[in-house]
Amino acid sequence: MDLDELIGTSGEWLRGTGPESDIVVSSRIRLARNLATFPFPPRAEEPVRKEINGILREHISHLSCTPALDYVPVNELEKVDRQFLVERQLISREHAESQGPRGACIGRQETVSLMINEEDHLRMQVLRSGYALESCWEEINRIDDELEQRVAFAFNDEFGYLTSCPTNAGTGMRVSVMLHLPALVMTKEIQKVFQSMHKMSLAVRGLYGEGSQAMGDFYQISNQVTLGKSEDQIIQNLKKVIPDVLSYERKARQALVKGDRQRLHDQVSRAMGVLSSARQISSEETMELLSSVRLGINLGLVDDIEISTVNELCIQTQPAHLQKIRGEALESAERNAARAGLLRERLTGRTPPQN
């Protein structure tokens, strides 16, 4: 895979389509697996990791249950290219920062990504735009079943699939939904949602998952417990909660519109004004302002921008994407200028001058 070919494209999960896509940006299911006859990655020496990488790459290349996947040798990539894949949600930060032979097999639509030699020998994930957990599960289950016909995964009758981290043992499944919750943040109700999630053993994380900060009012809600529960139970547990969160967010949005539509409209207009005219802008401020614009689109306050454009800009204005777009390494101030130029171009149609 030539990563430069991805610069001007966006993954299916950013298209702003699918059920509940006004609030649900994407759905994702991840499975963790290890080969039965090899030490797990934290204890595997480099020659063993290389052998594991070769075995899994070969078997994945012959999968018939999914469109062709392109192999990317992650350990051979420059730092900016690894970060580029993290920003696109195709590999984890841990995979990008790890050492030794490792790779990723990625689908052209970016709905499927299989990481080799991350924390486990294999981390499979399927992404979908909108609230689409069932279709995520159907596809990743087919991939898992076919691979299990080709290789033996580490499995114990009592504990299920064995993983490097005990908290992932059992199903090895992590189910997550990325939500845009600006109204709950603005009405200061978001902490109540967090407390409810915690009581139900659900995790709330930022845009890039574990250890990441929330940016632009985007949050990932996912299960924490994998042991002792079936795949269906994990999915159903999340599906019991998400509709309530969607309902709370919609009620909060309605309250904001009803309470002071003019003030809300002014906030959205100011956000558009800054994004369309700024000459320097940070990543954090960009995400905050894009969040307001995305809310404005869904409330009918903005009618000349598509949700997909805002979703794409949330990713394309990240540091590695800016450097890939410009084709050069950029310091922080240079990235702030490049980010402002990209925003002006996408939101107004004016091509920014090259400094």
Side-chain angles (χ1 to χ4, degrees), residues 267-277 289 293 302 304-305 347:
Q267 175 181 323
V268 174
S269 298
R270 286 175 182 270
M272 274 295 299
V274 173
L275 291 169
S276 301
S277 61
L289 297 175
V293 172
V302 178
D304 56 350
I305 300 174
L347 296 175

Side-chain angles (χ1 to χ4, degrees), residues 32-34 41 116-123 163-164 168:
R33 298 287 186 263
N34 287 283
I116 302 173
N117 281 335
E118 198 234 30
E119 183 179 72
D120 294 290
H121 293 154
L122 185 62
R123 288 281 180 97
T163 54
S164 295
N168 290 323

Side-chain angles (χ1 to χ4, degrees), residues 169-223:
T171 59
M173 173 188 271
R174 178 64 54 82
V175 180
S176 63
V177 178
M178 187 187 298
L179 305 175
H180 182 222
L181 305 174
L184 287 174
V185 173
M186 293 168 66
T187 57
K188 305 187 186 306
E189 295 291 318
I190 194 70
Q191 287 302 323
K192 293 181 181 179
V193 173
F194 292 169
Q195 291 167 5
S196 297
M197 298 298 102
H198 182 71
K199 290 177 181 178
M200 300 186 69
S201 298
L202 296 174
V204 181
R205 299 184 171 95
L207 186 64
Y208 293 104
E210 190 169 357
S212 65
Q213 296 292 318
M215 294 192 298
D217 308 323
F218 292 97
Y219 299 92
Q220 285 193 44
I221 296 179
S222 62
N223 66 296

Side-chain angles (χ1 to χ4, degrees), residues 3 72 74 77-97 102 207-208 212 215 283 315 317-324 335:
L3 298 188
V72 178
V74 175
L77 297 179
E78 298 291 336
K79 182 178 180 180
V80 68
D81 288 327
R82 297 197 303 271
Q83 182 60 30
F84 177 79
L85 292 176
V86 172
E87 291 173 1
R88 294 180 84 88
Q89 307 275 347
L90 295 173
I91 66 172
S92 65
R93 290 185 303 163
E94 292 76 14
H95 199 40
E97 296 168 2
R102 61 197 191 281
L207 186 64
Y208 293 104
S212 65
M215 294 192 298
S283 178
I315 304 302
T317 55
Q318 297 301 311
H321 272 74
L322 290 172
Q323 293 176 88
K324 294 287 287 181
R335 291 198 301 270

Side-chain angles (χ1 to χ4, degrees), residues 251-268:
K251 288 178 181 178
R253 292 182 182 190
Q254 291 169 4
L256 287 172
V257 172
K258 185 177 180 181
D260 194 345
R261 183 182 179 88
Q262 285 298 107
R263 186 180 68 83
L264 184 61
H265 202 164
D266 182 69
Q267 175 181 323
V268 174

Side-chain angles (χ1 to χ4, degrees), residues 272-281 286 290 305 309 313 317 326 335-355:
M272 274 295 299
V274 173
L275 291 169
S276 301
S277 61
R279 291 308 191 258
Q280 293 263 343
I281 190 167
T286 296
L290 285 174
I305 300 174
T309 298
L313 285 172
T317 55
R326 290 289 292 268
R335 291 198 301 270
N336 289 345
R339 182 177 295 111
L342 176 63
L343 288 163
R344 294 197 307 273
E345 180 182 13
R346 292 296 304 275
L347 296 175
T348 69
R350 296 195 299 269
T351 303
Q354 295 297 313
N355 296 329

Side-chain angles (χ1 to χ4, degrees), residues 44-262:
E45 300 292 337
E46 183 162 322
V48 176
R49 290 170 66 92
K50 184 176 181 180
E51 183 179 359
I52 292 165
N53 188 67
I55 290 170
L56 287 173
R57 177 183 178 182
E58 174 66 18
H59 286 297
I60 290 169
S61 71
H62 290 96
L63 287 174
S64 62
C65 58
T66 186
L69 304 176
D70 292 323
Y71 177 79
V72 178
V74 175
N75 58 295
E76 297 177 10
L77 297 179
E78 298 291 336
K79 182 178 180 180
V80 68
D81 288 327
R82 297 197 303 271
Q83 182 60 30
F84 177 79
L85 292 176
V86 172
E87 291 173 1
R88 294 180 84 88
Q89 307 275 347
L90 295 173
I91 66 172
S92 65
R93 290 185 303 163
E94 292 76 14
H95 199 40
E97 296 168 2
S98 184
Q99 301 294 322
R102 61 197 191 281
C105 299
I106 299 169
R108 285 284 166 167
Q109 291 189 322
E110 303 179 42
T111 57
V112 177
S113 175
L114 280 66
M115 291 174 279
I116 302 173
N117 281 335
E118 198 234 30
E119 183 179 72
D120 294 290
H121 293 154
L122 185 62
R123 288 281 180 97
M124 301 175 273
Q125 71 168 26
V126 170
L127 277 164
R128 288 284 187 278
S129 178
Y131 189 35
L133 291 177
E134 294 295 345
S135 64
C136 287
W137 170 238
E138 289 171 6
E139 180 159 14
I140 203 167
N141 191 39
R142 287 195 299 269
I143 295 170
D144 185 42
D145 285 348
E146 186 171 342
L147 277 175
E148 201 153 23
Q149 293 174 8
R150 298 172 177 272
V151 298
F153 290 135
F155 185 86
N156 178 276
D157 289 338
E158 182 179 359
F159 298 111
Y161 290 101
L162 303 180
T163 54
S164 295
C165 180
T167 59
N168 290 323
T171 59
M173 173 188 271
R174 178 64 54 82
V175 180
S176 63
V177 178
M178 187 187 298
L179 305 175
H180 182 222
L181 305 174
L184 287 174
V185 173
M186 293 168 66
T187 57
K188 305 187 186 306
E189 295 291 318
I190 194 70
Q191 287 302 323
K192 293 181 181 179
V193 173
F194 292 169
Q195 291 167 5
S196 297
M197 298 298 102
H198 182 71
K199 290 177 181 178
M200 300 186 69
S201 298
L202 296 174
V204 181
R205 299 184 171 95
L207 186 64
Y208 293 104
E210 190 169 357
S212 65
Q213 296 292 318
M215 294 192 298
D217 308 323
F218 292 97
Y219 299 92
Q220 285 193 44
I221 296 179
S222 62
N223 66 296
Q224 294 192 90
V225 178
T226 64
L227 188 62
K229 294 182 179 292
S230 69
E231 292 88 350
D232 184 64
Q233 287 174 325
I234 293 171
I235 293 172
Q236 293 305 319
N237 188 42
L238 205 65
K239 289 179 70 175
K240 290 177 183 177
V241 174
I242 297 301
D244 289 337
V245 180
L246 301 185
S247 177
Y248 297 151
E249 171 66 19
R250 290 199 175 105
K251 288 178 181 178
R253 292 182 182 190
Q254 291 169 4
L256 287 172
V257 172
K258 185 177 180 181
D260 194 345
R261 183 182 179 88
Q262 285 298 107

